[in-house]
Amino acid sequence: MTLIDRTAYPKFKQFPNPKELAELYTPQSAEIKFAKSKTKSHEGFLSFMVMLKSFQRLGYFPHPELVPIADKSQRNSG
């Protein structure tokens, strides 16, 4: 069976490992500079970065409710 991230409609992995998170979602300095130039608040900056990194990974803008939220308590409970 084809992996979902190799289909025409990729989705976020349910349980990405820390290495994947760091490699795929850590913003580069140019991305941070760009986002800061387009936003006026910390909330706007965060939203902009989440959408930018999501688009880079998926190739489309997901609905904000479909973007998984990192929860530190889940990482520490395993």
Side-chain angles (χ1 to χ4, degrees):
M1 176 184 261
T2 304
L3 298 173
I4 191 69
D5 59 337
R6 297 189 184 267
T7 66
Y9 303 102
K11 295 184 179 182
F12 292 106
K13 287 178 88 174
Q14 189 172 6
F15 301 106
N17 65 49
K19 182 180 176 186
E20 290 174 310
L21 290 175
E23 289 177 356
L24 299 173
Y25 299 107
T26 300
Q28 303 296 314
S29 58
E31 294 169 336
I32 293 170
K33 185 177 179 181
F34 178 67
K36 284 182 177 181
S37 75
K38 300 296 180 189
T39 59
K40 296 180 181 180
S41 67
H42 295 294
E43 295 84 2
F45 174 79
L46 179 60
S47 296
F48 188 97
M49 288 306 305
V50 168
M51 288 291 107
L52 175 64
K53 299 310 281 185
S54 297
F55 182 83
Q56 289 174 344
R57 178 70 180 133
L58 302 175
Y60 63 91
F61 291 106
H63 190 281
E65 291 179 2
L66 299 177
V67 177
I69 297 173
D71 184 355
K72 289 183 179 182
S73 65
Q74 291 177 351
R75 283 187 255 149
N76 294 333
S77 65

